[in-house]
Amino acid sequence: MRIFSILTAIVVAAVIYLFVFQRDFLFSFGTDESQAPQMASAQPAPAAAAAPQDSTPIVSVAVLTSTAQNVDSAVTVRGETRATRQVDLRAETNGRVISQPLRKGATVQANQPMCEIDPGTRRVSLAEAEARLAESRARVPEAEARVIEAEARLEEALINDRAAEKLSKGGFASEARVASATAATQTARAGVAAAQSGLQSTLAGIQSAEAAVALAQKEISRLVIHASFDGILESDTAELGSLLQPGGLCATVLQLDPIKLVGFVPEMAIQHVKLGAAAEARLVDGRKILGAVSFISRSADKVTRTFQVEVTVPNEDLSVSAGQTADITISAQGTLAHLVPGSALTLNDNGTLGLRILGAENTVRFAPVTLIRDTMQGVWVAGLPHQTDVIVVGQEFVTDGVIVDPTYTEVAQ
């Protein structure tokens, strides 16, 4: 049995060899010699046959004639609504709350009292500081009188000193009298300095008393916590009888009119966004709101490489709440672009995005483009001449400089 298997393998190998490597020999062997001259005469001359074999076949492609259009290069981003302002009203002093609480959702006005703290002995401290201030001010005339008295004594001592010196020169006064007059002058000078020091001390006491009064008044002003602006209470105010410490939360107030839309624009599109540009946002419930760009960040996020953009939107009826998701569309300056099928886009050897277009004499040329927007009808691209013949089918089978046989299709604008 093994011998038959070996013989079968040899025969199969021989047949394959003849059909693959000796095909012409088999065909000539099976052909009648009388028909050979006819077949030879029927074959074209070698020179004639060589011509079509050496010529390169022309590739057929589908071409779309596109004309540039002015396209609004709007920037669309996903964002959220945020309160224009939000503040946590916190206590600056300690004490027990003596005011009735306001419930969350209530509308508040600027400077409206939110929480009131028991004054305790603070008013007594203020009265004491005011009394000390009055006492300090009452000491001023006395101190000023002492200065005037000391200056008068100094003047008298100076007159006596000059008289003693003249008498001493004439031999009518002793040296002891001159020394006594000089000592009296020095004592008078010391008295003036002491009186002036007392006056300065009295004035310093007035300033200290005024500071104590201001501190007591400031402490009393901290007893009532007011709303910083018109808004809505996000939380209840502190409950009656609760104890507030410095930094304790009284209430949270939001300002929702106007409201902000916050989104993050990619770095490739940030140059199209301008301050004051009109913007439209679609909320998740289908509502549309209109506003204008009020802020553009000049520093990109280190992780996402996006720029924060804020849009201010009127919200008089307070129908838009903070934290809602919104699709924000920011209008930008229009640009000339072509609408082409997305499948027509290709890459060159350097990885540059572009299109294969027709040049002179149906010669293929690669044109780099900039992608502006992707739509259901196709992609809008910029960077092409005003009117361009774009290869939309077969662009992957041709390269620059190849001559093609174009078939023009209708413009799908």
Side-chain angles (χ1 to χ4, degrees), residues 151-268:
E151 289 176 346
R153 290 179 179 176
L154 175 61
E155 184 65 24
E156 180 183 3
L158 289 174
I159 293 173
N160 292 333
D161 186 29
R162 287 194 295 269
E165 185 178 356
K166 289 181 180 180
L167 291 174
S168 175
K169 289 181 179 179
F172 298 102
S174 63
E175 294 182 358
R177 183 178 177 180
V178 174
S180 177
T182 303
T185 301
Q186 297 297 330
T187 302
R189 284 196 177 99
V192 171
Q196 290 177 345
S197 176
L199 178 60
Q200 294 297 326
S201 178
T202 301
L203 296 177
I206 293 176
Q207 293 180 348
S208 177
E210 289 176 344
V213 170
L215 181 60
Q217 291 174 343
K218 183 63 176 179
E219 185 69 12
I220 291 177
S221 68
R222 293 170 176 169
L223 296 176
V224 181
I225 304 174
H226 299 85
S228 305
F229 46 79
D230 297 345
I232 297 177
L233 276 178
E234 181 67 9
S235 63
D236 294 343
T237 60
E239 187 60 56
L240 174 66
S242 61
L243 179 64
L244 287 181
Q245 299 290 342
L249 180 63
C250 167
T252 299
V253 180
L254 302 178
Q255 184 180 22
L256 299 179
D257 182 27
I259 198 167
K260 291 191 302 183
L261 301 174
V262 180
F264 293 87
V265 179
E267 56 183 338
M268 292 296 295

Side-chain angles (χ1 to χ4, degrees), residues 79-94:
E80 65 176 356
T81 59
R82 291 184 186 176
T84 303
R85 290 193 287 181
Q86 176 176 342
V87 63
D88 293 333
L89 302 177
R90 298 184 180 274
E92 296 181 78
T93 186
N94 61 332

Side-chain angles (χ1 to χ4, degrees), residues 261-294:
L261 301 174
V262 180
F264 293 87
V265 179
E267 56 183 338
M268 292 296 295
I270 191 63
Q271 71 272 11
H272 300 300
V273 181
K274 305 298 180 182
L275 283 174
E280 179 185 84
R282 180 186 293 272
L283 304 179
V284 292
D285 56 6
R287 287 183 296 164
K288 292 184 178 180
I289 52 179
L290 302 177
V293 176
S294 57

